[in-house]
């Protein structure tokens, strides 16, 4: 583990952690956990207008989970929800330079966003 | 430019900074025209004098004779020599007919002992593992009951490397002596921290490490009692150095520095340990005020003074340790031992003490050293509290 890794920079200062917000008013949200309950991720998405979204997360897990959730929320805001939903676990892995033993993290956050997207607008 | 706050080093059970006296000895040896200490000429004998002096220094710290010190590459090798050496010697049939050896040890031993014994078990050595209570203590009656006529060795650490729990070695040694079974002690965490006197305590073998006491890494020693002598088959051969007990050219500079470090730390023992007792109590009092923090270290005088070990509820252990290691100020500590951290596994020591896997995974081991003072302790408490709060907020728990 190195402080220079993309994971560590985001882990130490996640810009999109859902701190001090009322999550009850958000349009879509879903909690995704790992089978061993060692980590979980909750992604929240709010549609501001037809093309603009805000995304936040809550997470429990190793640094990679928090960093990956933060990166994915950033993608929702920068690319839009539809484009973010097209991302794969491999995209997360590549963007954050995840190690081989962190590959499950990409799946965790992608699954959380996919489920949130399905809930959005219901 | 804003200067980053100074890092805080609280991992002295893993390794200690080189002390000034040891550094001086190291540099003096490297600068001197020393030869091979096994050589009979002047430069060789000059090196041998440094090594003899180191043996006198280290032996003096533990109440041994200089010729009872066998230099090794570290405590792991010393422990391997003790355990494999006894098992191999017994298997040759020196205590009657050739037969598998029997060694008694404890579930919470360092992996140097555990893994070596597991490897020996795969080759036929009979191993009896003693359990521990929630504080990490063995039951002396259980130890007594585990010994039999064919027992070859009891191996036990003096101070647990994760929790600081002090095993009652004098009581264990008394049982072993009464039952006629040699005792090997892993003294890595107790050397110069607790009084050790092998002249008064019937210890047969004892592993020691330099880099836990202000000496350099890469050198350790095994104390081997002369009388009664335990049968020990050498594990490194080819040269006959150290009377055939451990072959290989001796690292004069490292050994010299080890001897000086041991003597220096022993001279400061009472003062430093009393200081660590006060500081670790201050640290524990501060951490215990944080919601969800519980102690894994033993209470009171059963704990070696520099150790504090806690579990933290509601945070992920890896995240907590990473946040402390890479946030500001950096705090260097560990979860479990540095050796188990290298494997990424939660602490088997804490799980053997009955802690849940989650509690064992979310543990912090903090161990004090000479440079730690009250201000550093208070900064550490505040920093840990802030990191716990940060992670709980990210998880929506605060």
């Amino acid at each position: 583990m190195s402080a220079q890794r993309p994971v560590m920079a985001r882990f130490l200062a996640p810009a999109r952690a859902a701190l001090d917000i009322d999550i009850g008013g958000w349009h879509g949200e879903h909690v995704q956990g790992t089978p061993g309950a060692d980590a979980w991720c909750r992604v929240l998405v709010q549609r501001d207008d037809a093309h603009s979204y805000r995304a936040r997360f809550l997470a429990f897990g190793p640094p990679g989970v928090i960093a990956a959730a933060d990166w994915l929320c950033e993608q929702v805001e920068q690319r839009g929800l539809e484009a973010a939903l097209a991302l794969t676990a491999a995209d997360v892995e590549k963007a954050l330079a995840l190690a081989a033993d962190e590959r499950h993290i990409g799946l965790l956050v992608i699954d959380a966003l996919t489920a949130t997207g399905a809930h959005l607008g219901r | 430019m804003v200067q980053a706050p100074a890092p805080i080093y609280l991992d002295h059970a893993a390794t200690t900074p080189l002390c000034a006296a040891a550094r001086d000895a190291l540099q003096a040896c490297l600068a001197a025209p020393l030869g091979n200490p096994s050589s009979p000429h002047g430069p060789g004998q000059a090196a041998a004098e440094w090594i003899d002096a180191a043996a006198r220094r280290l032996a003096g710290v533990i109440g041994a004779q200089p010729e009872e010190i066998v230099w090794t590459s570290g405590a792991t090798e010393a422990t391997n020599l003790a355990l494999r050496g006894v098992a191999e010697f017994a298997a040759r049939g020196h205590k009657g007919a050739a037969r598998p050896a029997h060694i008694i040890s404890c579930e919470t031993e360092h992996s140097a002992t555990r893994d070596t014994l597991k490897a020996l078990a795969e080759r036929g050595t009979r191993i009896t593992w003693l359990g521990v209570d929630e504080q990490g203590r063995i039951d002396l009656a259980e130890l007594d009951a585990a010994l039999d006529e064919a027992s070859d060795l009891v191996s036990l650490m003096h101070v647990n490397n994760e929790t600081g729990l002090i095993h009652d070695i004098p009581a264990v040694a008394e049982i072993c002596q009464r039952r006629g079974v040699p005792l090997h002690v892993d003294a890595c965490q107790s050397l110069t921290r607790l009084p050790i006197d092998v002249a008064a305590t019937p210890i047969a073998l004892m592993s020691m490490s330099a880099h836990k006491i202000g000496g350099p890494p890469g050198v350790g020693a095994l104390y081997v009692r002369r009388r009664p002598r335990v049968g020990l088959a050498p594990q490194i051969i080819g040269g006959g150095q150290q009377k055939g007990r451990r072959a290989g050219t001796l690292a004069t500079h490292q050994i010299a520095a080890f001897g000086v470090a041991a003597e220096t730390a022993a001279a400061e023992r009472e003062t430093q340990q009393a200081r660590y007792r006060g500081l670790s109590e201050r640290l524990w009092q501060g951490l215990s005020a944080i919601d969800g923090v519980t102690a894994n270290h033993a209470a009171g005088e059963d704990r070696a003074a520099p150790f504090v070990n806690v579990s933290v509820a509601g945070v992920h252990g890896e995240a907590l340790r990473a946040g402390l290691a890479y946030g500001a100020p950096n705090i260097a500590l560990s979860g479990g031992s540095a050796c188990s951290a290298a494997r990424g596994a939660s602490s088997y020591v804490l799980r053997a003490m009955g802690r849940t896997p989650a509690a064992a995974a979310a543990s912090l081991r903090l161990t004090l050293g000479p440079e730690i003072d009250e201000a550093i302790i208070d900064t550490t408490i505040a920093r840990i509290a802030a990191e716990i709060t940060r992670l709980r907020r990210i998880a929506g728990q605060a």
Side-chain angles (χ1 to χ4, degrees):
Chain A
M1 196 155 52
S2 161
Q4 303 305 314
R5 282 185 55 197
V7 163
M8 203 50 62
R10 284 187 181 271
F11 164 68
L12 292 173
R16 289 166 181 80
L19 308 179
D20 304 324
I21 63 168
D22 176 12
I23 61 175
W26 288 64
H27 296 154
E29 58 99 357
H30 182 73
V31 180
Q32 186 71 34
T34 54
D38 182 51
W40 56 260
C41 173
R42 183 175 191 175
V43 175
L44 307 108
V45 175
Q46 183 149 304
R47 190 199 312 262
D48 287 337
D49 56 46
H51 304 290
S52 177
Y53 295 88
R54 278 183 290 155
R56 295 290 182 270
F57 74 94
L58 295 169
F60 175 92
V65 169
I66 291 168
D70 190 61
W71 180 81
L72 198 57
C73 287
E74 183 182 85
Q75 301 312 302
V76 171
E77 294 188 346
Q78 291 182 351
R79 302 180 185 210
L81 181 62
E82 289 70 22
L85 284 169
L87 292 168
T88 66
D91 295 321
V92 181
E93 187 180 328
K94 185 178 176 186
L96 295 173
L98 295 178
D101 62 354
E102 295 175 314
R103 284 180 180 153
H104 65 286
I105 289 171
L107 285 173
L108 175 71
V109 297
I110 288 291
D111 286 354
L113 179 63
T114 302
T116 299
H119 289 192
L120 194 65
R122 279 186 184 174
Chain B
M1 195 171 90
V2 178
Q3 194 169 9
I8 296 173
Y9 188 77
L10 287 166
D11 205 13
H12 292 82
T15 199
T16 53
L18 194 66
C19 74
R23 185 182 300 111
D24 290 346
L26 198 66
Q27 289 173 338
C29 281
L30 290 172
L34 301 178
N36 187 320
S38 296
S39 299
H41 50 58
Q45 288 308 293
E49 284 175 19
W50 275 100
I51 288 166
D52 290 347
R56 286 194 298 275
R57 289 187 167 105
L58 181 58
V61 167
I62 62 171
Q65 299 300 312
E67 56 272 24
E68 294 176 315
I69 301 297
V70 176
W71 303 110
T72 64
S73 64
T76 296
E77 188 198 323
T79 296
N80 268 263
L81 173 57
L83 302 179
R84 292 176 187 272
V86 166
E88 190 178 317
F89 191 86
R92 288 176 189 170
H94 291 276
K95 198 176 175 181
R99 56 173 178 75
H102 178 216
I103 299 177
I104 297 98
S105 191
C106 173
E107 289 178 348
T108 54
E109 291 296 300
H110 188 275
S111 51
T113 295
R114 275 170 51 106
D115 291 357
T116 304
L117 291 178
K118 285 178 183 173
L120 287 170
E122 288 172 4
R123 286 189 270 161
T125 298
R126 185 163 57 100
I127 310 295
T128 300
W129 294 103
L130 303 175
V132 297
D133 65 15
E134 72 282 357
Q135 295 278 316
R137 301 187 193 93
I138 62 164
D139 181 342
L140 294 178
E142 188 184 349
L143 167 64
D144 203 4
L147 299 173
D148 59 38
E149 293 294 314
S151 297
D152 295 287
L153 189 71
V154 171
S155 182
L156 198 64
M157 64 200 336
H158 193 179
V159 168
N160 185 274
N161 58 303
E162 293 191 24
T163 66
L165 183 276
I166 302 171
H167 284 299
D168 188 351
I169 291 300
V172 170
E174 190 278 326
I175 292 170
C176 291
Q177 185 178 47
R178 177 165 48 79
R179 300 295 298 273
V181 179
L183 171 63
H184 165 246
V185 174
D186 171 357
C188 283
Q189 299 295 349
S190 61
L191 181 66
T192 73
R193 288 181 179 143
L194 298 176
I196 300 173
D197 184 359
V198 296
T201 308
I203 294 168
L205 303 162
M206 189 164 76
S207 300
M208 296 171 279
S209 172
H211 73 104
K212 311 287 192 188
I213 62 165
V219 61
L222 182 68
Y223 158 75
V224 182
R225 180 178 289 277
R226 291 180 74 191
R227 292 190 184 82
R229 180 186 290 269
V230 62
L232 198 63
Q235 299 302 299
I236 296 179
I237 56 176
Q241 289 91 344
Q242 304 199 72
K243 297 175 182 167
R245 296 175 295 187
R246 195 273 194 184
T249 300
L250 293 174
T252 305
H253 58 300
Q254 289 173 297
I255 291 169
F258 184 9
V260 168
E263 192 174 66
T264 303
E268 298 171 348
R269 179 175 61 79
E270 288 193 19
T271 308
Q272 285 288 36
Q273 299 307 308
R275 203 174 69 83
Y276 295 155
R277 179 71 64 191
L279 289 171
S280 62
E281 192 56 31
R282 185 184 185 96
L283 177 57
W284 163 237
Q285 289 302 324
L287 294 179
S288 65
I290 303 169
D291 184 41
V293 172
T294 53
N296 294 318
H297 54 256
E301 297 298 315
D302 283 351
R303 168 174 56 89
F307 287 77
V308 170
N309 189 312
V310 298
S311 284
V312 185
V315 298
H316 193 280
E318 190 181 332
L320 179 57
R321 289 186 290 273
L324 293 171
Y326 297 109
N330 298 169
I331 299 183
L333 44 70
S334 64
S337 72
C339 304
S340 66
R343 297 176 182 179
S346 73
S347 164
Y348 62 79
V349 171
L350 299 183
R351 284 181 280 127
M353 290 163 56
R355 305 298 191 270
T356 63
S363 67
L364 303 176
R365 179 189 71 173
L366 307 99
T367 44
L368 312 184
E371 75 282 10
I372 304 300
D373 59 20
E374 289 187 352
I376 292 174
I377 292 294
D378 293 347
T379 300
T380 299
I381 295 166
R383 175 84 172 82
I384 291 175
E387 187 61 22
I388 290 171
T389 299
R390 185 182 83 91
L391 292 173
R392 285 178 176 164
R393 289 182 73 211
I394 290 174
Q397 296 173 6

